[in-house]
Amino acid sequence: MKRVYNALHLKRALILKELGIEYIDPIEEFKEPEIDLPNSLNDLKDLVKKCYLCQLSKSRKNVVFGEGNSNAKILFVGEAPGVTEDNTGKPFTGRSGELLTKMIENVLQIKRDKVYISNIVKCRPPNNRTPTAQEALSCKPYLQKEIDTIKPKLIVALGETAYSYLTNDTTPIGKVRGHIFNLGNYKIIPTYHPSYLLRNPSAKKEAYIDMLKIKEFIN
Ligand code: URA
């Protein structure tokens, strides 16, 4: 019952905040909502499609749940859906998705549908802004459940936002990329986000090295 109460409290607090009503808890003190989540990815997806825990639910066209192999050894985590993903309801289907697919298929030499791909938040932030800490926290239990269901050998954090929301480590991506860290029961490796690589093609060389490290770790 306490979990349901916490989730309802969070939802009500967010609505009050949007109405301009001051309340005592600073946003930073929000805890992840403790909701009992289903153990099957399909049931989880159905539940997330009906999520209204944060303000991103108001402007989304589609919820973008993770997709791929439920037994994947590698789980990629991006930041948030963009316009193409919001339209299609599938992660990484725009230009950065095309690049991610090439990185997976050409460097790791596995089909995209053999890995699992998800995001920190499942709804598109307006104007592609970075998800707020509060939005990331509201959505975190869903990602955590995806991770705990799939139990990947390696989590690949795409970009600094995904890395910092997953680990609470705010070290710049350039300093941590290509290193494998412990994350609870899991291993995580940060690398550049494909959209960063599209804007900064010279960083592709480092991303290539990171992908080789991922390949070596998995095999
Ligand atoms: N960028 C992301 O971080 N995720 C997507 O799904 C698409 C673009």
Side-chain angles (χ1 to χ4, degrees):
M1 199 58 200
K2 183 165 169 272
R3 292 175 174 194
V4 175
Y5 173 79
N6 282 345
L8 289 174
H9 175 67
L10 174 65
K11 188 175 173 187
R12 198 179 58 157
L14 292 174
I15 293 168
L16 289 175
K17 174 84 178 158
E18 277 162 31
L19 291 173
I21 295 168
E22 293 296 324
Y23 56 94
I24 300 156
D25 292 343
I27 243 58
E28 289 73 19
E29 284 186 13
F30 270 134
K31 302 274 185 298
E32 284 171 32
E34 292 177 45
I35 314 165
D36 282 324
L37 295 173
N39 292 320
S40 105
L41 288 175
N42 281 338
D43 292 348
L44 182 63
K45 181 176 180 177
D46 288 343
L47 185 138
V48 177
K49 277 184 178 170
K50 291 179 240 152
C51 179
Y52 297 96
L53 278 179
C54 86
Q55 59 192 344
L56 298 182
S57 60
K58 287 195 289 189
S59 51
R60 74 179 175 224
K61 275 192 196 149
N62 282 296
V63 169
V64 180
F65 192 71
E67 72 168 13
N69 179 359
S70 54
N71 290 311
K73 285 188 191 167
I74 312 175
L75 192 155
F76 289 86
V77 181
E79 179 177 323
V83 64
T84 314
E85 292 77 18
D86 188 36
N87 285 328
T88 60
K90 290 171 180 294
F92 283 96
T93 38
R95 279 188 69 222
S96 57
E98 269 172 40
L99 179 57
L100 179 62
T101 305
K102 281 188 193 156
M103 289 160 71
I104 294 168
E105 301 203 337
N106 298 347
V107 189
L108 298 183
Q109 294 179 313
I110 45 179
K111 287 279 167 212
R112 175 180 157 134
D113 62 8
K114 292 282 179 273
V115 304
Y116 191 88
I117 303 176
S118 195
N119 278 301
I120 293 289
V121 294
K122 312 297 191 227
C123 299
R124 182 190 179 206
N127 304 316
N128 298 336
R129 65 161 170 73
T130 305
T132 64
Q134 174 197 321
E135 290 156 359
L137 263 188
S138 301
C139 224
K140 183 90 185 277
Y142 303 141
L143 177 59
Q144 193 60 53
K145 194 72 186 184
E146 287 176 289
I147 295 172
D148 291 338
T149 307
I150 293 160
K151 299 187 176 52
K153 197 166 170 196
L154 186 61
I155 297 168
V156 182
L158 297 167
E160 195 165 296
T161 303
Y163 174 72
S164 66
Y165 279 140
L166 277 163
T167 60
N168 291 322
D169 175 14
T170 53
T171 309
I173 189 78
K175 292 224 167 92
V176 287
R177 58 142 279 273
H179 295 275
I180 296 176
F181 301 100
N182 290 322
L183 180 67
N185 296 328
Y186 303 99
K187 299 276 183 198
I188 184 168
I189 183 169
T191 189
Y192 291 124
H193 192 287
S195 64
Y196 175 81
L197 296 174
L198 289 171
R199 295 192 306 274
N200 301 276
S202 63
K204 282 185 183 172
K205 211 162 70 184
E206 291 164 301
Y208 177 70
I209 293 168
D210 298 347
M211 294 303 275
L212 291 181
K213 185 144 190 183
I214 294 166
K215 189 175 177 197
E216 186 192 328
F217 183 81
I218 289 305
N219 291 326

